[in-house]
Structures are given as C-alpha cells and as structure tokens.
Amino acid sequence: MSDVTAKHPHLVELGQFLRARRADVTPQAFGLPERDAAVRRVAGLRREEVADSVAISHDYYTRIEQGRLAPSEPVLQAIADALHLTPDQREYAEGLARQAGRRTPPRRRTTPVRPQLQRLLDQLTQTPAFIVGRHLDVLAWNSLAGALLADLDAMAPHERNFVRMVFTNPRVRDLYDDWESVARTNVALLRRQAADNPTDPRLAALVGELSLVSAQFRQWWAARHVTHPSFGTKTIRHPELGEFTLDWDAFAYTGDPEQQLVLWSAEPGSSSYDKLRILSSWVAPHTPRDTPTGALEHADIQD
C-alpha cells in the first residue's frame, strides 16, 4: 500500500466507488442500533465506522476514499466485506486497484469484427443476434436484430451504441415496458467497463453527451453501480407484432475479449417464437459491407 502525490485516475474512481457503496449500506445492515441511525447526518455509514470494522485508522481510510492511497489486497477485501459488495462490485473494485498498480497502462486497439463472424450472424435467420464491443458499441448485427431493435443500417457508426440508443432513440426506448430497469442495467454495464480506463476520451464523450440529454443518466452514472449479467429474459414491444418475451445470452469472443455475441431466442411453440418467424420472413438477409461493421471510425486509444 502506498500514498500517491498525484492522484491516479483509477484510485480516484476507486475512492468514489467506495464512497457511493458506503452510502448504500444502512446502519441496521451494519449491525448498529436503530436509534443511532435516526440521528446521523450522512446517508449510510460514516467513514470511521468502516475504518473501525476493518481495523485501520480513520485517516488511512479517508485517504483511500480521496484517491490518495492504494489499499493492499487484504485491506480492500476487508472493506469489500464491510460494505457487503456483490461479486460484480468486488471485481470492479479489484480491477481499479489492479490497474492503479500498472506502471504503463495496456494499449488496446479497436478491432473490427471478422467477416466470418458477420457471416455467422447472417446465417442465424430466425435468431436476432448482434456483437457489442467496448463501451457497448454495436459492431455487427443480422437483419432480424435490426428489424427487432432499430434501423441500425441507417445509423452513423457513433450512433450504434446500445447505451446511447436506450437513452436517445425513441424506437429503442419504446421497446421496453421496464425501460428504467434496462437503462439502469446498461449504465451499470458501461460503468463496469470504465474500470480499465476511467479517463478514456471516447467514454468521456459518450458520458458527457448522455449527461446533457438525460437527468436520469446523470443520476445513475453518479451512483456508480456496476453489473455484468450474461443472460436474462426481456419483454419487448414491436410496433407491428406486439409483445415478444425473449431470452438473451451473451458470449465473450476469445479472439477479442472486448467483443460479445448477444443472442435473443424464444421458447419453441410460444407466441414469441411464432412472431420471430413472421418477422424473419419480412426481412432480407443482411447485406455484406465493403468495410467490416466493426471498423468504427476511431483511432487507436491509449488505455
């Protein structure tokens, strides 16, 4: 563990993340008397209460939350226990601490989607499928996914971002009965991806844009919740075919861990399954492009 003179961006984010989680823990959940909770001036726990439970000095814990000190692994684990962090939250905090320890951050290149993967998507004629990359950019898709979600072919590359679409595209927003839950989950996914580089200029531009257009995004982004779901079930409303209940699964691509294949499917024999077959009959096969879909118009980024 070491104190730092110039604040490291990962340590700053770690401190702010722990502060947000400290505010989420009720005194009762921490084992404090209910009468004590009624007179406190801060939401959640006080810094000194967390420090005492972890057996570190109040000043030491304060410096961690201020982004001035990198906690050792045992201390961070003890803080995670005290704050009742979920597995996803623990992974996020550990990732920030690990990145702060790097002398030279890794250089990552935006990788285009391989043509073979686009061919695979196109052959899934009755399964909506798409590939998302860094910051939930939609890099490739099949015709059925476009017919179900939005006209992705008509969008500029920078507009094909799932979080951006959820907050700014009326068609995508109207798809979901539980839009708020979907939007919160996407913000939490984006926040988790920010662990690698909280100061990424592309991330900053996206967050800045969405913060200007949506007070809800600003609020949820500041709350610093993180998640990493890999499957689930959603009910969506198609403007012509009505409601679909679809299961979704996400699979990481070993050729590029930042790319994930997302598949939506319906239970055979269900009305949603029949509607997918109808929608599939309406759409033409995805037309291959001269330039791979994933070749976004972005320069290499220093993470």
Side-chain angles (χ1 to χ4, degrees):
M1 46 193 169
S2 60
D3 210 344
V4 292
T5 53
K7 292 185 179 180
H8 194 291
H10 288 91
L11 292 184
V12 172
E13 175 59 26
L14 176 61
Q16 293 173 340
F17 175 72
L18 294 177
R19 188 181 308 126
R21 300 290 70 77
R22 175 167 59 84
D24 286 342
V25 181
T26 65
Q28 294 91 333
F30 203 66
L32 297 173
E34 187 173 350
R35 64 180 182 276
D36 180 67
V39 298
R40 60 182 51 232
R41 297 179 181 177
V42 298
L45 302 174
R46 301 186 182 100
R47 283 176 175 168
E48 56 266 28
E49 291 167 341
V50 178
D52 289 344
S53 72
V54 180
I56 58 178
S57 73
H58 301 175
D59 177 67
Y60 184 82
Y61 183 74
T62 297
R63 284 184 286 156
I64 293 174
E65 282 201 357
Q66 290 175 344
R68 295 165 46 210
L69 187 145
S72 65
E73 183 177 347
V75 168
L76 184 58
Q77 290 297 328
I79 293 172
D81 290 340
L83 298 180
H84 308 305
L85 297 191
T86 66
D88 284 341
Q89 291 170 341
R90 285 175 181 269
E91 183 182 0
Y92 182 68
E94 291 165 1
L96 290 169
R98 186 166 54 250
Q99 292 287 358
R102 292 179 181 269
R103 293 193 175 187
T104 303
R107 183 175 180 83
R108 294 188 178 173
R109 182 185 299 272
T110 299
T111 307
V113 171
R114 295 173 64 241
Q116 293 89 337
L117 292 181
Q118 181 65 67
R119 185 175 64 210
L120 172 63
L121 295 181
D122 294 338
Q123 290 174 354
L124 297 172
T125 57
Q126 295 186 12
T127 301
F130 54 96
I131 294 173
V132 294
R134 192 186 313 175
H135 307 149
L136 301 184
D137 289 323
V138 181
L139 304 179
W141 59 94
N142 62 9
S143 297
L144 193 53
L148 195 63
L149 286 170
D151 189 357
L152 294 165
D153 289 291
M155 296 180 186
H158 78 278
E159 295 176 323
R160 297 184 199 124
N161 176 277
F162 207 87
V163 186
R164 189 182 190 279
M165 290 192 296
V166 165
F167 280 92
T168 66
N169 188 307
R171 162 74 183 271
V172 176
R173 186 174 184 129
D174 290 344
L175 277 178
Y176 299 102
D177 279 330
D178 59 340
W179 176 86
E180 181 173 325
S181 173
V182 172
R184 282 178 176 271
T185 297
N186 275 272
V187 174
L189 277 166
L190 186 64
R191 172 62 77 175
R192 182 184 178 277
Q193 289 196 359
D196 282 348
N197 188 357
T199 60
D200 184 334
R202 276 185 57 209
L203 174 67
L206 178 62
V207 170
E209 176 193 1
L210 296 181
S211 296
L212 287 175
V213 301
S214 173
Q216 290 166 305
F217 179 87
R218 288 198 304 273
Q219 176 187 350
W220 298 335
W221 183 256
R224 287 180 162 78
H225 290 295
V226 294
T227 190
H228 187 217
S230 57
F231 63 90
T233 301
K234 285 296 176 189
T235 299
I236 65 172
R237 296 179 304 223
H238 188 269
E240 295 168 314
L241 293 175
E243 284 194 354
F244 289 71
T245 298
L246 300 173
D247 298 317
W248 66 269
D249 293 90
F251 304 90
Y253 174 46
T254 56
D256 183 346
E258 290 191 335
Q259 294 182 7
Q260 285 199 318
L261 170 65
V262 181
L263 302 175
W264 289 12
S265 63
E267 182 71 24
S270 67
S271 62
S272 297
Y273 181 82
D274 294 337
K275 289 176 183 179
L276 276 182
R277 292 172 64 88
I278 294 171
L279 189 60
S280 175
S281 70
W282 291 357
V283 300
H286 199 80
T287 302
R289 295 172 175 76
D290 294 334
T291 302
T293 315
L296 296 178
E297 298 172 359
H298 298 296
D300 294 351
I301 294 174
Q302 179 75 29
D303 279 327

